[in-house]
Amino acid sequence: MTIYRIPDHLSCIIFDIDSTLYTNEAYAREQTGIQIRRFADIKGISYSEAEKMIAAFRENFRKEHGTSLSLGNTLTHFGIPIEESIRWRNELLEPAEFLAPDVCLRETLSELSAKYTLGAVTNNPLVPAKKTLAALGVADLFPVIIALDTTGYSKPHPEPLRRAAKAAGVPLSKCLSVGDRFDIDIALPLELGMGGILVSGVEDVYKLPDMLS
Ligand SMILES: [Mg+2]
């Protein structure tokens, strides 16, 4: 865990969902896997060809722009509109096949929700985002969920963060972003005056109540 900044007057914690609220390699892989499989089918190429094309494009983008490009946004450069890859994910992602209720996460978030508003900001669409929180047994603890199709913008973009803070009724300066990818979840929140904590997975999330008390 790396603590970059904790706001003086913390009132809202905005969590990334995937690989932050659960640690599950197979499901993390499945999320990109279903989209690359569908993309390869449409283009009539093999999975590994599709994977290489996408990886090369993202690597180039990172070199040119110094920031990561989400898979959904990468696919738009290959003629797949974001609405289309959202539809794939809505249809194909079944988090309950990979994830189970996490009692420790529930205790952690329950404790935090007594003091802070909890939000989730994800680059997944709302349907799989809600299914994921439900599979983990914590859906009722998130009054604020901002998904890719809530704003149409992928992280890192200010709009999902602004929307989450607005829904929580607090300024960004009172919000803390918690996520597993610095580029996607932490760098921009810090620029916007929010707090930021980088986690390696859910095991780090369990430590938050002690760390913030
Ligand atoms: Mg993540």
Side-chain angles (χ1 to χ4, degrees):
M1 167 156 44
T2 309
I3 300 157
Y4 287 90
R5 187 194 301 144
I6 295 170
D8 292 337
H9 304 285
L10 177 61
S11 35
C12 173
I13 307 178
I14 295 174
F15 288 93
D16 167 52
I17 296 179
D18 297 295
S19 298
T20 294
L21 296 182
Y22 66 84
T23 307
N24 185 308
E25 250 323 296
Y27 184 53
R29 262 202 317 275
E30 168 81 355
Q31 308 229 8
T32 53
I34 54 142
Q35 296 179 78
I36 295 172
R37 264 197 306 274
R38 183 62 73 92
F39 173 69
D41 285 350
I42 287 172
K43 296 287 176 194
I45 57 179
S46 71
Y47 183 91
S48 76
E49 279 175 297
E51 204 176 24
K52 274 183 206 141
M53 265 167 78
I54 288 165
F57 189 92
R58 292 176 94 173
E59 182 53 33
N60 248 329
F61 186 93
R62 181 197 283 276
K63 275 186 198 147
E64 273 177 33
H65 302 270
T67 179
S68 303
L69 191 64
S70 70
L71 177 58
N73 282 338
T74 304
L75 289 171
T76 65
H77 292 273
F78 291 100
I80 308 294
I82 199 79
E83 297 76 18
E84 173 96 12
S85 59
I86 285 174
R87 210 156 40 237
W88 299 349
R89 284 180 275 178
N90 284 342
E91 282 169 19
L92 301 171
L93 281 176
E94 292 302 344
E97 290 175 7
F98 296 84
L99 306 173
D102 180 341
V103 176
C104 191
L105 177 66
R106 186 162 181 91
E107 276 171 19
T108 301
L109 297 176
S110 298
E111 199 176 333
L112 292 172
S113 71
K115 285 172 79 176
Y116 313 108
T117 303
L118 304 188
V121 172
T122 176
N123 281 352
N124 251 330
L126 192 58
V127 169
K130 283 188 167 169
K131 281 185 187 171
T132 301
L133 295 176
L136 294 170
V138 297
D140 56 307
L141 298 172
F142 286 91
V144 175
I145 304 175
I146 306 297
L148 172 58
D149 43 355
T150 311
T151 66
Y153 293 105
S154 295
K155 296 184 283 184
H157 188 284
E159 192 52 32
L161 296 166
R162 289 201 182 111
R163 194 73 72 89
K166 194 175 172 202
V170 297
L172 283 172
S173 60
K174 292 186 176 178
C175 298
L176 168 67
S177 178
V178 177
D180 68 298
R181 291 185 292 177
F182 182 81
D183 279 2
I184 306 284
D185 303 312
I186 310 298
L188 181 64
L190 294 176
E191 263 178 53
L192 295 172
M194 300 169 60
I197 295 181
L198 184 68
V199 296
S200 311
V202 72
E203 300 75 16
D204 283 344
V205 173
Y206 300 154
K207 299 172 193 158
L208 288 178
D210 279 346
M211 223 201 55
L212 295 171
S213 64

